[in-house]
Amino acid sequence: MIGSQSAGPPGLDIAGMRRRLLDARAALQAASTGSADSRDPVTLDQTSVGCLSRMDAMQQQAMALATGRWR
């Protein structure tokens, strides 16, 4: 018989183990639900990418100007 005291070896608390396992599963499910937002795909912020691209282009321009002066 599944879930009864007589199913396991003498002295084994099957019902208590089942309760602890179910409690652990509930805690894991609650933790998983609570962290669902942090697992969502990351959204790309177009404004910061544009800013970084402009900064990179300005840096490349300054390097080209400096190289031109050095030659």
Side-chain angles (χ1 to χ4, degrees), residues 8-63:
L12 190 62
D13 183 15
I14 300 292
M17 289 172 41
R18 179 175 167 75
R19 265 193 318 276
R20 286 191 297 276
L21 286 171
L22 290 173
D23 289 344
R25 182 173 69 176
L28 288 171
Q29 287 174 339
S32 178
T33 301
S35 65
D37 289 343
S38 64
R39 290 189 311 269
D40 286 345
V42 176
T43 58
L44 182 60
D45 184 5
Q46 294 292 331
T47 58
S48 67
V49 169
C51 180
L52 290 175
S53 296
R54 285 188 298 274
M55 289 181 355
D56 186 43
M58 290 171 60
Q59 182 183 20
Q60 289 177 3
Q61 180 189 28
M63 294 285 286

